[in-house]
């Protein structure tokens, strides 16, 4: 069963995403911000990382860069709220700076499944 | 001021970023050592430094503003106020129109009308004024009633605080300011996470070490874009139409 690390400061969103991923038969570990996300990644090597962009204590783009530096092959999905154009600007930047996929929030189970299918080739 | 203080409090210029325009909005004179902040008491050195820069840039056809921080209580000292307004009065109108007064530490208990009257001798000789408030401040509408067009917060004093809490407060601050039809300026952004959350919260103008450290000369100021935060591309020197 592949492992996914979710990095997001919104606990409710993490819970919801965990449910969706478990339904898709992934095993999930969580972290509440970028800094602890990188620490978790060092401890447990996962197959996929899903990270929010706007977070306290190290935002998502730096988090992506640090994780890619540790394991260049790990697949990373960047997520962010689609509410403001600036959110999208940072999400697109994440795509240029190491994220393998970008996923504007909100998204559903089918969107998530498609993204993972794409990443798994 | 003794020479030790003079050296320790070197006057620098902080570039302030206009988020929507991706351009340099203003320079703000800043003392390099926080313990010399008392020099904001209507000193003309900051005024001269900032306006010299604006004038020099004007000659190159590059339009910028000077943001001059002033402690509110300094305005209540008649002698200092007289010297300062005299200095302002001697400036060419074109230069005065680039000067924005940034009022710090507005005392509690002052009515909006009283604040407006106290500031009038200065604001009538400048482009206008903005006021500072703690990021947790509730009554931002007061500043609109006093005639300010923007309200600012400074995160320099918030270092070490929980960032998640701070990000929520910035978002709430912007919502309160927008409800009062005030633009928002955020100083002291010391981390990329704070810059990004401020940008997404809708802060109009931003400054801080995470964007650019203060510069000794205007030539060091850059046209800033979000991707520069991550070392993607190099910021370029500002020009009139940058962004």
């Amino acid at each position: 069963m592949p492992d996914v690390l979710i990095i997001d400061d919104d606990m409710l969103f993490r819970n919801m995403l965990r449910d969706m991923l478990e339904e898709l038969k992934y095993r999930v570990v969580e972290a509440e911000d970028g800094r602890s996300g990188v620490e978790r990644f060092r401890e447990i090597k996962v197959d996929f990382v899903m990270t929010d962009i706007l977070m306290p204590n190290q935002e998502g783009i730096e988090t992506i860069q640090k994780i890619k530096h540790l394991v260049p092959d790990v697949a990373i999905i960047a997520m962010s709220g689609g509410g403001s154009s600036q959110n999208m600007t940072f999400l697109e930047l994440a795509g240029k700076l190491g994220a393998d996929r970008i996923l504007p929030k909100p998204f559903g189970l089918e969107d998530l499944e498609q993204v993972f299918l794409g990443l798994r080739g | 001021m003794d020479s030790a203080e003079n050296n320790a409090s070197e006057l620098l210029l902080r570039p302030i970023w206009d988020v929507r325009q991706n351009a340099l909005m203003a320079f703000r004179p800043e003392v390099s050592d926080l313990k010399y902040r008392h020099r904001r008491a209507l000193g003309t050195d900051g005024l001269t430094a900032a306006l010299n820069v604006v004038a020099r840039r004007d000659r190159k056809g590059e339009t910028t503003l000077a943001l001059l921080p002033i402690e509110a209580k300094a305005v209540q000292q008649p002698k200092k106020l007289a010297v300062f307004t005299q200095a302002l009065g001697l400036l060419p109108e074109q230069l005065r129109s680039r000067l924005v007064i940034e009022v710090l530490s507005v005392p509690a208990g002052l009515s909006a009308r009283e604040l407006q009257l106290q500031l009038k001798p200065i604001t009538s000789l400048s482009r206008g004024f903005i006021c500072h408030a703690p990021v947790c401040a509730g009554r931002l509408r007061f500043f609109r009633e006093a005639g300010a067009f923007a309200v600012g917060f400074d995160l320099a004093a918030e270092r070490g605080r929980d960032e998640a809490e701070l990000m929520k407060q910035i978002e709430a601050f912007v919502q309160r300011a927008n409800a009062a039809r005030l633009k928002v300026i955020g100083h002291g952004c010391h981390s990329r996470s704070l810059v990004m959350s401020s940008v997404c919260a809708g802060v109009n103008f931003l400054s801080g070490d995470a964007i650019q450290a203060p510069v000794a000369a205007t030539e060091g100021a850059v046209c800033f874009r979000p991707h520069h935060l991550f070392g993607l591309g190099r910021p370029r020197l500002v020009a009139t139409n940058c962004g």
Side-chain angles (χ1 to χ4, degrees):
Chain A
M1 193 184 280
D3 294 308
V4 182
L5 169 61
I6 303 172
I7 309 171
D8 198 303
D9 58 327
D10 183 340
M11 191 181 68
L12 291 176
F13 182 81
R14 285 203 311 270
N15 289 343
M16 188 195 71
L17 189 53
R18 171 187 277 274
D19 289 346
M20 283 163 49
L21 287 167
E22 285 177 349
E23 201 173 324
L24 295 172
K25 310 292 180 208
Y26 289 91
R27 200 161 41 206
V28 175
V29 283
E30 297 178 24
E32 63 182 11
D33 61 40
R35 202 174 294 155
S36 57
V38 175
E39 281 167 24
R40 288 294 275 158
F41 185 80
R42 281 181 205 272
E43 292 161 9
I44 310 160
K45 293 288 183 289
V46 295
D47 305 287
F48 301 96
V49 175
M50 295 190 75
T51 181
D52 190 19
I53 295 299
L54 289 183
M55 291 183 292
N57 310 321
Q58 189 175 296
E59 35 66 37
I61 298 177
E62 185 175 356
T63 303
I64 292 167
Q65 291 175 321
K66 285 189 171 165
I67 289 175
K68 281 283 184 183
H69 182 72
L70 290 170
V71 180
D73 293 340
V74 68
I76 302 182
I77 302 157
M79 317 170 279
S80 193
S84 88
S85 59
Q86 299 289 5
N87 270 327
M88 281 311 294
T89 302
F90 287 122
L91 197 52
E92 285 160 10
L93 266 179
K96 286 182 188 164
L97 289 165
D100 298 276
R101 293 284 189 280
I102 60 171
L103 193 53
K105 294 178 186 174
F107 52 83
L109 188 63
E110 280 184 14
D111 302 317
L112 195 60
E113 193 171 18
Q114 285 303 314
V115 165
F116 276 92
L117 281 175
L119 284 172
R120 299 179 79 173
Chain B
M1 191 190 309
D2 62 28
S3 60
E5 180 174 336
N6 200 23
N7 290 338
S9 61
E10 183 193 358
L11 199 61
L12 298 170
L13 295 164
R14 173 76 71 172
I16 297 171
W17 180 39
D18 181 329
V19 175
R20 188 166 292 178
Q21 300 296 327
N22 281 317
L24 183 86
M25 184 270 265
F27 289 102
R28 182 187 196 228
E30 190 171 286
V31 282
S32 53
D33 189 328
L34 291 186
K35 74 183 172 176
Y36 299 115
R37 278 198 168 166
H38 62 268
R39 290 182 68 192
R40 289 174 172 175
L42 288 184
T44 49
D45 48 357
L47 172 73
T48 310
L51 285 179
N52 275 344
V53 165
V54 169
R56 205 158 62 232
R57 298 179 64 79
D58 261 4
R59 286 194 289 275
K60 291 184 190 171
E62 299 167 358
T63 307
T64 37
L65 301 177
L67 204 62
L68 188 68
I70 285 176
E71 295 287 349
K73 63 184 176 193
V75 184
Q76 295 166 340
Q77 298 171 329
K79 277 188 186 170
K80 281 190 174 177
L81 182 61
V83 171
F84 192 74
T85 50
Q86 194 178 13
L88 281 183
L90 292 172
L91 294 170
E93 170 64 32
Q94 191 196 355
L95 212 46
R96 284 205 305 259
S97 70
R98 302 285 166 71
L99 177 68
V100 175
I101 304 295
E102 188 174 25
V103 185
L104 311 175
S105 313
V106 176
L110 206 63
S111 74
R113 179 74 182 144
E114 285 169 331
L115 178 62
Q116 194 173 38
L117 287 174
Q118 281 184 12
L119 293 173
K120 198 175 177 185
I122 297 177
T123 53
S124 61
L125 292 170
S126 62
R127 189 185 188 96
F129 74 100
I130 68 175
C131 288
H132 256 234
V135 71
C136 58
R139 50 172 208 148
L140 300 184
R141 191 172 296 278
F142 165 88
F143 298 115
R144 179 76 196 179
E145 289 162 4
F149 67 87
V151 65
F153 58 82
D154 192 344
L155 299 178
E158 314 284 349
R159 270 181 193 256
R161 271 193 55 196
D162 178 46
E163 264 198 14
E165 189 59 33
L166 210 47
M167 284 161 73
K168 282 181 198 158
Q169 287 194 335
I170 292 169
E171 203 174 337
F173 186 95
V174 173
Q175 284 171 1
R176 286 195 298 275
N178 289 346
R181 290 180 293 121
L182 288 161
K183 289 188 182 269
V184 180
I185 181 163
H187 296 298
C189 285
H190 51 265
S191 72
R192 286 195 290 205
S193 44
L194 282 175
V195 174
M196 287 169 66
S197 59
S198 297
V199 167
C200 290
V203 175
N204 303 92
F205 311 108
L206 274 178
S207 74
D209 287 345
I211 298 172
Q212 193 180 2
V215 292
T218 173
E219 284 71 26
V222 296
C223 175
F224 194 83
R225 288 170 187 274
H227 59 254
H228 296 141
L229 279 174
F230 305 98
L232 197 69
R234 291 187 61 191
R236 60 190 168 92
L237 293 179
V238 287
T240 320
N241 298 318
C242 73

